[in-house]
Amino acid sequence: MSPNRRRPLVGGNWKMHFVRDDAQRFCETFLAGGALPADVVLFPSFPLLATVAAALEGSEVGLGGQDIHPDEKGAHTGDVSGLQLVDSGCTWVLCGHSERRQDHDESDDLVRQKAVAALRYGLTPLICVGETQAERQAGRTFEVLERQLRAALTAGPATFTLAYEPIWAIGTGETATPEIAQEAHAFLRGLLVEMLDENAAEAKRILYGGSVNPQNAAELISKPDLDGFLVGGASLDPEKFLAIIRSCGSDS
Ligand code: 13P
């Protein structure tokens, strides 16, 4: 790892998996893994936040929610606010994950409102962007990424982190090649240079997500604009998750 490289960040997005016992066991095994060469954040589903917050206490592992409602409180059945996330021990939140965009029809503008709400509560939004298979095949990848990023970032140039998650690679076992991922990450960083400034863009961590596993992580992280991962399936197994995180420290 070159001395100037951004410190890697690895998120574990547990999606709608685990009950409290699983979460507790995961944390025990994971925390026994010792010092790690990356920052780590776990994104459990809402009913697990209290358990995971307690299990992670005193550790350096961060905690995040998988979604946020733009409002602080009110008649929004099934939703969770930034105030509630902070109260549950979160410092991060996912905004615009493709499963939210697809399953819940979340628009680019709603993603922006969520990022704004996150910042209001001091939560770091991890903004997810990515194209579908059809959009890639139609040569529209960059257009989609630019639209999603510009919409989200009218939230302001404050603290945020970005994840590139090509939808065709999520949960499919079909990872983007390191070259494809690097091309998208470099494109996103170029946009950040334009939208923020050179220094801020260089400091931003851009994570890759989509079928990351202990076998493909080292080659992906060797690419200059990949600064870590947002891991789904493999983040449910503490040993696999640890192996992915450790691969961020190798010089491969
Ligand atoms: P998988 O790692 O299961 O492909 O999921 C990626 C993802 O959606 C992380 O947010």
Side-chain angles (χ1 to χ4, degrees):
M1 201 167 25
S2 92
N4 294 329
R5 179 141 191 185
R6 296 166 285 269
R7 179 167 165 82
L9 168 68
V10 183
N13 177 6
W14 289 355
K15 307 190 178 183
M16 199 171 67
H17 292 284
F18 281 178
V19 293
R20 287 176 300 165
D21 271 357
D22 305 316
Q24 184 69 39
R25 265 198 305 274
F26 176 99
C27 291
E28 281 163 19
T29 310
F30 182 76
L31 292 175
L36 295 169
D39 294 332
V40 180
V41 191
L42 293 177
F43 296 93
S45 51
F46 299 133
L48 305 177
L49 284 174
T51 302
V52 177
L56 295 180
E57 209 171 319
S59 81
E60 308 239 299
V61 180
L63 183 65
Q66 293 179 10
D67 187 37
I68 179 173
H69 190 280
D71 293 346
E72 178 174 302
K73 59 185 171 183
H76 301 293
T77 304
D79 281 316
V80 168
S81 73
L83 182 66
Q84 292 171 318
L85 290 177
V86 170
D87 189 51
S88 301
C90 294
T91 52
W92 289 81
V93 63
L94 297 180
C95 292
H97 191 279
S98 61
E99 287 150 15
R100 301 284 323 166
R101 292 180 192 260
Q102 289 190 329
D103 297 355
H104 300 272
D105 272 341
E106 286 193 7
S107 65
D108 290 336
D109 189 59
L110 184 56
V111 175
R112 178 190 59 79
Q113 291 178 44
K114 290 181 178 210
V116 170
L119 294 170
R120 197 181 312 131
Y121 293 100
L123 295 159
T124 303
L126 177 43
I127 297 168
C128 305
V129 297
E131 80 287 2
T132 63
Q133 179 80 280
E135 288 163 341
R136 174 160 285 271
Q137 281 168 351
R140 295 184 47 222
T141 298
F142 289 170
E143 169 199 329
V144 170
L145 296 184
E146 179 161 3
R147 191 199 73 224
Q148 293 177 337
L149 183 62
R150 283 194 189 280
L153 288 208
T154 52
T159 317
F160 69 91
T161 299
L162 199 57
Y164 169 59
E165 297 209 304
I167 295 170
W168 47 271
I170 294 178
T172 58
E174 188 190 344
T175 323
T177 63
E179 291 69 31
I180 286 179
Q182 166 60 23
E183 181 187 44
H185 283 230
F187 174 74
L188 290 167
R189 198 175 306 283
L191 286 175
L192 292 176
V193 170
E194 210 183 286
M195 296 162 76
L196 307 174
D197 65 49
E198 180 101 35
N199 286 343
E202 279 305 314
K204 278 289 170 215
R205 294 187 285 196
I206 307 178
L207 312 187
Y208 168 78
S211 297
V212 176
N213 61 43
Q215 286 71 45
N216 59 31
E219 211 188 334
L220 283 161
I221 198 73
S222 72
K223 293 296 178 191
D225 287 294
L226 263 83
D227 308 310
F229 301 113
L230 184 54
V231 186
S235 75
L236 298 171
D237 176 333
E239 298 301 346
K240 284 189 190 164
F241 193 50
L242 282 167
I244 290 169
I245 296 163
R246 289 189 183 116
S247 73
C248 293
S250 63
D251 242 330
S252 53

